[in-house]
Amino acid sequence: MSSAVGTNNVMSGIRRQLMWNRLISVVEELAQTLIRTAFSTSTREAGDLAAGVFSPDGRMMAQAITGTPGHINSMAMAVGHFIKEYPVNTMQPGDVFITNDPWLASGHLNDFTVVSPAHLDGRVVAMFAATVHVVDIGGLGVGTEARDVHQEGLYVPIMPLARAGRIDETLLRMIRANVREPMQVEGDLHSLIVSNQGGIDRLLEMMHEFGQTDLGELADYIFTTSRQAMLKAIRELPRGRYENRMTIDGFDNPVDIVVAATIEDDRILIDFDGTSSLSQAGINVPKCYTDAYTSFGVRCVVGPRIPNNAGSLELVQVVAPEGCILNAPYPAPVAARHMIGQMLPDAVLGCLFQAAPERVPAEGASCLWNIRVAGGPETAGLAPELRRNSRRFAITTFNAGGAGARPISDGLSATSFPAGVRNVPLEIVETMTPLVFWRKELRENSGGSGKWRGGDGQIIELAHAAGEPFMLNATFERVDNPARGRAGGAPGAAGVVRLASGPKLKAKGRQMVPAGDRLIVEMPGGGGYGQVAERTPEMRQRDKAEGRLGT
């Protein structure tokens, strides 16, 4: 009899693992559907999205592999807000709910989060959620000029996008009327709806195949197993309080990120007490986005192979005083919250380096160097005859500098860490806009030297194909304060924004690229790791072959 019980337990374990693997496949298919149906380059080309499946009480069970930590980990908390506004027992099949509330979703108005319930036999058995970054939301958009959130664009509270399968056309009309790219934005919303529905269909197929009427047992298994694994990973670290301070460019004044990581028996507490106060510009960060990138920074070092879900996330707790730049209250401007938020993993890793130095890389460019440009008849007061023929456009190209060197290898060049998005192919941008790219290449020797070299940034040079002026909306970091090396490694090169004619441009804010001129963006490199003297003869030979200087 004991043998039979043992066999049943093994079979039960295999069954749970099969269902877990299928669940991951379900949400990854959701993410890939988003990529294949989205209209905007940010989703379709860069993969700036999140997708996940949740238990009926709003806890994230599984996330898609494709996506960004800022979206995924903030979405992990967002579904609870939807359920609070619209209780599960009031939801019907075909309902879809939406918001871009920065404090309840993912930190700024350009991100729409859509939640859809999955019904089986008249009951909600799961929730699906997905987030994408739309190309435009009206107002001043992603940038630093706004002085409160209402200037940044259209603010949509948690509300129905569809009821019982019928889309709210009034809401779509209002959104179309407020954005500069109505076709792209509406197309992305339809993509979110159909992708969530695809997740629901695949989940119900899975449940039918395994003979399940609910997911309660599977959810408990996922949360309990992940939590126990995370506890084990935390208890392998030395207890204590570890502090770090990082100064970044900010807007008018530098921003100090002050952080302390306390490793306890049953949690890791991250405290940002002492961090700079709010900015007048839109670089402030809602707490949900602070939580998202802070927990990701911890998870890069502590249990990186443990699935990311409610069970593992609950053991990383984040404190940031309200009114500091990392806990911006409504209605603070937050459109460019990524500029500060994407620096948080580096700040946290500076603490964890003291507890686990063999696991922690040097600082990198970190903040995405997205080139946001626009042009058309309204730009720089073109003459009437030119205005008639000028093509209106607005686009964001996703780009990255170099990542920090690692304790056992060089840093990755032109690689987005921590955001994880892809660089957008130039051919796509040239097809969609009147821009021409004259140069895109690695910025040689921009990575910091050391035993292991920091990753190189890249150089991009572009112009208007017709010689017209166009507008740059700059949201760049690491211009005044480059990525620091670690364990004796040198800092990476600072970023530079300039015109081909010579003048430097500001790292933040709207600026004109004059007619006939070119914009040149030189992205920062990652910091080096260890002393240069520790490089082996083989490393030095490779440096010489690659034309690396100073190493």
Side-chain angles (χ1 to χ4, degrees):
M1 184 164 180
S2 61
S3 176
V5 171
T7 301
N8 288 337
N9 287 338
V10 170
M11 292 304 294
S12 178
I14 293 173
R15 183 182 178 85
R16 285 195 299 258
Q17 187 62 44
L18 288 171
M19 292 182 67
W20 164 252
N21 291 342
R22 282 287 295 277
L23 201 60
I24 292 294
S25 297
V26 167
V27 288
E28 183 58 27
E29 182 174 333
L30 193 164
Q32 293 302 319
T33 303
L34 274 175
I35 289 172
R36 285 163 172 75
T37 59
F39 281 47
S40 62
T41 57
S42 56
T43 302
R44 179 165 46 86
E45 303 297 336
D48 191 17
L49 59 90
V53 60
F54 294 72
S55 60
D57 60 0
R59 292 181 294 169
M60 187 170 75
M61 297 170 61
Q63 62 157 90
I65 298 168
T66 303
T68 71
H71 283 156
I72 292 166
N73 288 345
S74 57
M75 185 183 69
M77 298 175 281
V79 175
H81 299 302
F82 281 82
I83 292 172
K84 184 176 180 181
E85 193 72 25
Y86 292 92
V88 170
N89 60 7
T90 68
M91 295 180 180
Q92 307 173 59
D95 283 356
V96 182
F97 303 93
I98 187 172
T99 192
N100 68 342
D101 186 318
W103 286 269
L104 301 182
S106 69
H108 71 174
L109 296 175
N110 279 72
D111 292 341
F112 273 112
T113 297
V114 165
V115 173
S116 308
H119 284 79
L120 179 64
D121 298 331
R123 295 182 303 110
V124 174
V125 292
M127 309 285 288
F128 280 89
T131 301
V132 300
H133 177 105
V134 295
V135 64
D136 183 66
I137 197 60
L140 292 172
V142 177
T144 56
E145 284 80 7
R147 294 299 173 259
D148 73 53
V149 70
H150 300 289
Q151 295 178 327
E152 294 176 334
L154 180 66
Y155 197 133
V156 179
I158 295 176
M159 63 183 298
L161 176 57
R163 277 294 203 181
R166 294 179 62 87
I167 294 177
D168 188 332
E169 294 294 341
T170 301
L171 174 59
L172 290 183
R173 285 181 61 199
M174 184 171 67
I175 292 172
R176 287 196 299 267
N178 279 275
V179 303
R180 299 170 183 87
E181 295 283 352
M183 182 179 295
Q184 287 194 54
V185 174
E186 184 178 0
D188 281 353
L189 296 183
H190 283 288
S191 174
L192 285 163
I193 294 171
V194 72
S195 299
N196 273 7
Q197 185 59 49
I200 292 170
D201 293 343
R202 293 293 182 267
L203 178 70
L204 297 182
E205 288 175 10
M206 181 193 96
M207 294 178 69
H208 176 74
E209 181 179 332
F210 284 90
Q212 299 294 303
T213 57
D214 66 63
L215 296 174
E217 181 183 349
L218 180 62
D220 290 342
Y221 166 70
I222 291 170
F223 298 144
T224 300
T225 304
S226 300
R227 189 179 191 279
Q228 290 175 346
M230 190 65 180
L231 276 172
K232 182 177 183 294
I234 291 172
R235 289 167 180 168
E236 291 172 352
L237 297 172
R239 308 290 178 273
R241 176 184 169 94
Y242 306 96
E243 300 177 354
N244 186 36
R245 186 185 194 97
M246 185 169 70
T247 299
I248 56 179
D249 301 352
F251 185 69
D252 287 333
N253 298 295
V255 169
D256 289 324
I257 299 175
V258 180
V259 56
T262 303
I263 300 173
E264 302 175 358
D265 275 343
D266 58 355
R267 67 171 183 169
I268 294 179
L269 175 66
I270 307 295
D271 190 343
F272 289 103
D273 187 27
T275 293
S276 295
S277 58
L278 286 179
S279 171
Q280 64 169 339
I283 63 174
N284 302 297
V285 188
K287 179 65 162 40
C288 60
Y289 198 75
T290 293
D291 289 351
Y293 268 112
T294 299
S295 59
F296 175 73
V298 173
R299 294 301 310 280
C300 287
V301 172
V302 186
R305 298 185 181 277
I306 298 169
N308 192 53
N309 54 54
S312 52
L313 282 171
E314 71 174 9
L315 301 184
V316 180
Q317 298 170 12
V318 182
V319 176
E322 184 172 353
C324 81
I325 202 167
L326 298 179
N327 189 359
Y330 167 88
V334 293
R337 86 304 189 222
H338 72 283
M339 300 179 66
I340 306 296
Q342 290 175 359
M343 294 294 180
L344 298 183
D346 272 348
V348 171
L349 290 174
C351 294
L352 297 180
F353 175 73
Q354 301 165 52
E358 72 285 356
R359 305 185 197 177
V360 178
E363 293 179 359
S366 298
C367 174
L368 284 167
W369 271 60
N370 294 343
I371 301 176
R372 293 181 171 86
V373 288
E378 301 83 3
T379 303
L382 291 171
E385 62 274 14
L386 296 177
R387 290 173 65 91
R388 283 192 295 272
N389 298 319
S390 181
R391 178 181 168 189
R392 182 180 290 108
F393 71 95
I395 199 162
T396 298
T397 70
F398 281 64
N399 305 283
R406 295 161 286 183
I408 58 171
S409 61
D410 295 340
L412 298 172
S413 297
T415 297
S416 172
F417 175 86
V421 298
R422 298 186 295 270
N423 289 268
V424 173
L426 301 187
E427 295 83 356
I428 299 295
V429 182
E430 289 183 330
T431 299
M432 297 179 66
T433 70
L435 296 173
V436 58
F437 287 80
W438 292 96
R439 182 164 46 140
K440 182 178 183 180
E441 62 191 29
L442 290 179
R443 186 184 176 195
E444 292 185 3
N445 301 307
S446 56
S449 60
K451 177 181 180 181
W452 300 104
R453 305 173 316 211
D456 285 336
Q458 55 185 316
I459 300 175
I460 293 180
E461 182 174 353
L462 68 151
H464 196 292
E468 295 178 12
F470 61 96
M471 185 71 69
L472 167 70
N473 184 8
T475 54
F476 303 132
E477 261 291 342
R478 299 288 199 202
V479 171
D480 298 322
N481 295 275
R484 295 177 296 185
R486 211 175 298 282
V496 178
V497 189
R498 61 186 176 90
L499 298 175
S501 58
K504 284 189 176 181
L505 299 180
K506 296 183 296 182
K508 296 175 180 67
R510 297 177 189 271
Q511 299 149 91
M512 189 66 64
V513 177
D517 212 336
R518 297 181 184 179
L519 172 65
I520 299 176
V521 178
E522 301 180 14
M523 301 179 198
Y529 192 102
Q531 299 286 347
V532 173
E534 296 176 300
R535 289 188 75 78
T536 66
E538 291 78 10
M539 292 176 179
R540 294 180 183 277
Q541 186 65 31
R542 189 178 64 200
D543 293 340
K544 184 177 180 180
E546 294 176 357
R548 303 281 301 204
L549 303 177
T551 58

